[in-house]
Amino acid sequence: MRMRNKPWAMDFLQQNNSIVDIDSSYSGRVGAFFPETRPLHVEVGTGMGTFITELAKRHPDVNFVGIELDKNVMIRVVEKVLEAELLNVRLVLLDANAIDAYFRNDPVSRIYLNFSDPWPKSRHEKRRLTSRSFLEKYSAILEDGGLLQFKTDNRGLFEFSLVSMNSFGMDFDEVKLDLHADEPEDNIRTEYEEKFSAKGNKIYRIRASF
C-alpha cells in the first residue's frame, strides 16, 4: 500500500517509539517490547491497521506485532493503536525478508498474510510472501503447531500459494474458495478486503501449519 510521502513520518514514529520499533532495537528480544508475556502473533504487512487493531481488541490475552515497510502507512496504524489504547500491539518498521532474524529468540504462534502484493510476473516469484524462501523464514520462527493464515482476492496468488505450501509439506487446516459466501465469525475484514469484496471479487483464505 503506497501513500503520499510525509517528510515528518520518521519524527512521528520516533516520538511513539514505545509502540513502534523503527531501527530494530527489539530484534531478538521482542518479548521486552510488551508489558506482559503472552502468546505472540505477527501480521506481515499491516495495511492501515484495521485488522491487527480489531484482532487485538478481540484477543487481549495475545501480543500482536505488525510488520510494515512503508513509514507513511505505519503512521495510520500507530494512530489507531493509540486511539484504541491497545497495550498488546507493537509495530515494527521492517522488511519481511528480515522476519526470521528479528524474531529469532521469540517463538511465534501465528502469522497473518493479508492481501499481499501478488507480484504476478514470473521473474518476481521469489518476492511473493508465500514463496519457498519466505515459508522457510516462517517455519524458523513459528513454534510447533504454529499457524499461517493467508487471505487474498488474487486467484493466481491463491493457486501459487496452495502449490507452494503443499510442496513445502505444510498441513492444511482450512482452504476457503469464497470466504464471504458463508463468512465465519472470526473473519476480520481488512480495508482491501472490503474494497475487493464490494467489486464482487471472491476472497480466498488458507490456514496451514508446518
Side-chain angles (χ1 to χ4, degrees):
M1 180 177 288
R2 292 286 177 245
M3 294 181 67
R4 183 175 299 175
N5 184 57
K6 297 177 176 62
W8 47 270
M10 292 304 290
D11 288 338
F12 175 85
L13 297 180
Q14 181 61 49
Q15 290 165 9
N16 290 283
N17 61 7
S18 61
I19 61 172
V20 58
D21 183 3
I22 64 173
D23 55 8
S24 293
S25 297
Y26 288 92
S27 178
R29 58 187 196 98
V30 178
F33 208 178
F34 291 91
E36 294 186 32
T37 300
R38 304 184 182 102
L40 186 63
H41 292 194
V42 177
E43 183 184 19
V44 183
T46 60
M48 294 297 184
T50 296
F51 181 83
I52 195 169
T53 52
E54 179 59 31
L55 199 60
K57 291 173 187 175
R58 295 187 187 186
H59 301 281
D61 56 337
V62 175
N63 285 335
F64 295 91
V65 177
I67 293 173
E68 178 57 53
L69 184 59
D70 190 327
K71 64 182 184 298
N72 302 293
V73 171
M74 184 68 84
I75 289 171
R76 297 291 299 276
V77 190
V78 171
E79 290 173 340
K80 287 182 178 178
V81 172
L82 291 173
E83 181 180 0
E85 299 181 339
L86 295 169
L87 300 179
N88 61 331
V89 178
R90 294 293 183 265
L91 306 166
V92 185
L93 201 63
L94 188 74
D95 188 318
N97 283 289
I99 190 172
D100 52 339
Y102 194 90
F103 292 95
R104 61 188 179 276
N105 297 322
D106 297 272
V108 175
S109 299
R110 185 170 293 196
I111 293 174
Y112 303 93
L113 306 176
N114 292 315
F115 301 89
S116 311
D117 192 327
W119 293 105
K121 295 182 179 179
S122 297
R123 69 175 183 271
H124 293 152
E125 178 178 313
K126 290 185 178 180
R127 297 185 184 183
R128 298 170 193 161
L129 292 183
T130 51
S131 66
R132 184 175 185 85
S133 61
F134 278 104
L135 294 181
E136 289 173 347
K137 295 176 185 295
Y138 308 148
S139 177
I141 63 174
L142 276 169
E143 61 189 14
D144 290 343
L147 196 68
L148 176 66
Q149 178 174 296
F150 165 81
K151 285 199 293 185
T152 186
D153 73 312
N154 187 285
R155 178 83 182 192
L157 180 60
F158 168 71
E159 293 175 350
F160 169 85
S161 300
L162 273 178
V163 173
S164 181
M165 292 178 191
N166 186 61
S167 296
F168 200 79
M170 297 179 69
D171 296 319
F172 292 97
D173 299 345
E174 173 191 277
V175 177
K176 286 191 175 293
L177 303 179
D178 190 352
L179 183 62
H180 292 180
D182 184 18
E183 190 169 4
E185 289 185 5
D186 67 356
N187 186 50
I188 297 173
R189 295 193 180 195
T190 72
E191 301 87 355
Y192 271 137
E193 188 168 350
E194 291 283 15
K195 177 181 176 180
F196 296 145
S197 181
K199 291 181 177 180
N201 296 9
K202 287 184 178 181
I203 306 300
Y204 307 97
R205 187 169 81 175
I206 299 173
R207 284 179 171 172
S209 53
F210 290 89

